[in-house]
Amino acid sequence: MSGMFDENSGTNWKKISYHAKSTFAVLLSLAVLIGMGVFGYRMVHSAYLDWRTAEDYLPPGGDKVVFTVPSGASVSDIGSRLVRQDIIKSRKAFDKAVSQLGSDAKFEAGRFPLRKKMAAADAVKILSDPSKMIRVRVTLPEALRMNEQWPLIAKAVPQIKTKDLQA
């Protein structure tokens, strides 16, 4: 028998030690490579998420809010107002979403249902769709004088006070 056993003395401890050290080195190398792979994946994945969300929030968003686009507001004004109200994270994300929408990105004055901390692309889609605008319809009976109309309008639209209408 050759290999691990010597014919004269029995066990060849040098060869056993050599093979044990080699096996340990291979297993240690595999463990290090696997550990580096897992660590590298986690770092790359984390960096990707940071890059993806650095300028924008991830959908779906938080609490519901009503956002008002003022009459005559520019696209940049709308983006700044969205950032100030914490609806979107950055103007950069808003500008990117507007440019991706292209010629369909037309904003009308009005009130729109949005969410806090929502993705800019989702906000732009809602704001550029006139059918998403919150509309309040009031039917006034015929032959009412102006001062008789104000209370009916104020009742239908609680956000508006009668004195504001009269002004």
Side-chain angles (χ1 to χ4, degrees):
M1 258 193 190
S2 65
M4 303 268 192
F5 297 102
D6 237 353
E7 291 177 15
N8 296 338
S9 66
T11 308
N12 187 346
W13 289 106
K14 283 186 176 184
K15 285 188 179 183
I16 291 175
S17 173
Y18 172 76
H19 287 291
K21 288 177 186 177
S22 298
T23 304
F24 177 74
V26 168
L27 291 176
L28 181 63
S29 298
L30 282 174
V32 168
L33 287 174
I34 290 171
M36 286 174 47
V38 169
F39 177 75
Y41 170 77
R42 286 185 179 169
M43 293 302 291
V44 168
H45 183 68
S46 175
Y48 170 74
L49 286 179
D50 288 346
W51 171 77
R52 167 73 173 88
T53 60
E55 301 291 331
D56 204 359
Y57 293 120
L58 293 175
D63 298 335
K64 293 179 180 180
V65 295
V66 175
F67 179 76
T68 303
V69 175
S71 181
S74 68
V75 174
S76 107
D77 291 339
I78 294 169
S80 296
R81 289 173 55 95
L82 288 166
V83 171
R84 273 197 309 273
Q85 293 180 26
D86 198 29
I87 294 171
I88 61 171
K89 193 169 186 177
S90 72
R91 279 280 312 280
K92 184 177 180 182
F94 178 77
D95 294 339
K96 181 179 177 184
V98 169
S99 69
Q100 285 177 344
L101 207 57
S103 63
D104 292 336
K106 295 177 183 161
F107 303 106
E108 292 183 25
R111 297 170 352 129
F112 294 86
L114 298 178
R115 293 183 169 273
K116 290 278 191 179
K117 299 184 179 189
M118 67 186 300
D122 295 341
V124 167
K125 284 179 190 172
I126 292 170
L127 292 173
S128 63
D129 185 357
S131 70
K132 303 279 188 194
M133 187 183 304
I134 298 171
R135 299 181 193 274
V136 178
R137 300 196 188 278
V138 179
T139 303
L140 298 172
E142 293 180 31
L144 286 181
R145 296 175 183 234
M146 291 288 270
N147 61 348
E148 295 171 324
Q149 292 176 11
W150 302 137
L152 294 174
I153 295 171
K155 185 178 178 183
V157 187
Q159 300 89 342
I160 303 174
K161 296 179 181 160
T162 305
K163 15 182 195 179
D164 293 336
L165 286 168
Q166 291 170 345

